[in-house]
Amino acid sequence: MQSPTAATSFTTFLVLSVAITALVVTVGASWSAGTATQPLIDGFQITGPNVQQKKVHEGFAGPTKGAGVPDCLNTSAYCAQLYELLSSKAPVVEEGPDDLREMKLILSKISCLKRDLMGNAKVVQATFYQPFSTSHDMEPVAETAARCFSKTIPQRDLQLSLDKWGSRGTFLIKRVCTAYALSDGEEEKALNLFGQAMADLGDIALGECCNSSEAVIGGMPQKRMVEGAVPPAINALRPYDGYY
């Protein structure tokens, strides 16, 4: 028969063995789970064990709205400088803010149309958020962008839209310069910046919208100009020269 001291020692050894075994199993399971974890995305870096570092690019040109005034601020430096100049002083007449608000809308449309036309995706994205205004628009600017991508807008229609922006913008700049008490030199600079912005957009738009003799609708080539269609059933008909 074992003595009480020996029995106590054996029990203590057994308890310690079980505790150590449990600790080893727990640590091993935790380590195994950690190595099997999926890679984590930390900013633009993919990190994790046994994962090769890779740079992730977002692939967009920034937000259309909320990143500055006018919209698509970073697309046209001329529009950004012009708005900063026009809004640099307080108005002296109550009509000033309304004229400046419409001028800001024209500058936003110029910048956003330029962004869509220069984009690699060739989709209507930035111009989609621009509202239609009867005072300076021939059609919604998003429709103009869509017709450019499908090559279905005649050069005359495109030029009419740009000319209306140009004439209305020039008229508003002169009113804003008067309403905000800008000097003659500042007015001349503003008109020059607006002319450069319109010329820049005009070159891009003509090159993008009117560079093909065929339209593309739904991925299929089409005739560029819409023409009348004659039903096949009446192709064989001839003029009647008899008497009734």
Side-chain angles (χ1 to χ4, degrees):
M1 178 179 292
Q2 293 182 345
S3 64
T5 303
T8 302
S9 300
F10 178 78
T11 302
T12 303
F13 175 78
L14 183 61
V15 172
L16 290 176
S17 299
V18 172
I20 292 173
T21 302
L23 179 61
V24 171
V25 171
T26 302
V27 172
S30 300
W31 181 83
S32 177
T35 57
T37 303
Q38 294 294 326
L40 301 177
I41 295 180
D42 183 16
F44 294 101
Q45 296 289 336
I46 299 179
T47 60
N50 302 323
V51 176
Q52 184 178 3
Q53 296 298 318
K54 180 181 179 181
K55 190 72 173 179
V56 178
H57 299 282
E58 294 182 332
F60 55 83
T64 300
K65 286 183 172 290
V69 178
D71 296 339
C72 305
L73 175 66
N74 297 326
T75 306
S76 175
Y78 300 124
C79 292
Q81 294 177 36
L82 175 55
Y83 184 79
E84 183 179 3
L85 174 62
L86 295 178
S87 60
S88 60
K89 296 182 179 180
V92 295
V93 295
E94 62 180 9
E95 294 85 357
D98 290 335
D99 292 334
L100 182 60
R101 192 177 301 112
E102 184 183 351
M103 189 65 212
K104 181 184 73 173
L105 183 57
I106 293 177
L107 296 179
S108 295
K109 292 175 180 178
I110 293 173
S111 299
C112 290
L113 180 58
K114 180 182 176 181
R115 171 177 289 189
D116 276 354
L117 294 180
M118 294 180 64
N120 293 327
K122 303 303 179 186
V123 295
V124 178
Q125 195 275 328
T127 52
F128 176 78
Y129 301 97
Q130 300 304 314
F132 175 79
S133 175
T134 55
S135 61
H136 59 256
D137 283 329
M138 299 289 291
E139 65 179 358
V141 64
E143 180 69 17
T144 302
R147 294 173 70 195
C148 278
F149 294 143
S150 63
K151 314 299 182 185
T152 57
I153 183 171
Q155 182 173 343
R156 179 177 179 275
D157 289 1
L158 178 63
Q159 196 63 55
L160 286 174
S161 295
L162 297 180
D163 287 347
K164 192 168 185 180
W165 282 358
S167 59
R168 181 64 177 176
T170 300
F171 172 75
L172 289 172
I173 287 175
K174 293 180 179 180
R175 283 177 58 92
V176 170
C177 289
T178 300
Y180 284 75
L182 299 181
S183 65
D184 292 342
E186 290 172 324
E187 179 178 343
E188 182 180 355
K189 181 180 179 181
L191 292 172
N192 183 48
L193 286 172
F194 185 65
Q196 289 177 304
M198 290 300 304
D200 183 34
L201 176 62
D203 291 341
I204 294 172
L206 290 175
E208 180 63 36
C209 307
C210 306
N211 60 354
S212 174
S213 59
E214 287 188 345
V216 179
I217 301 177
M220 301 295 294
Q222 309 284 337
K223 292 183 178 180
R224 183 173 177 86
M225 298 299 294
V226 178
E227 298 178 355
V230 179
I234 64 173
N235 280 338
L237 299 182
R238 295 292 182 269
Y240 179 74
D241 297 329
Y243 296 95
Y244 292 101

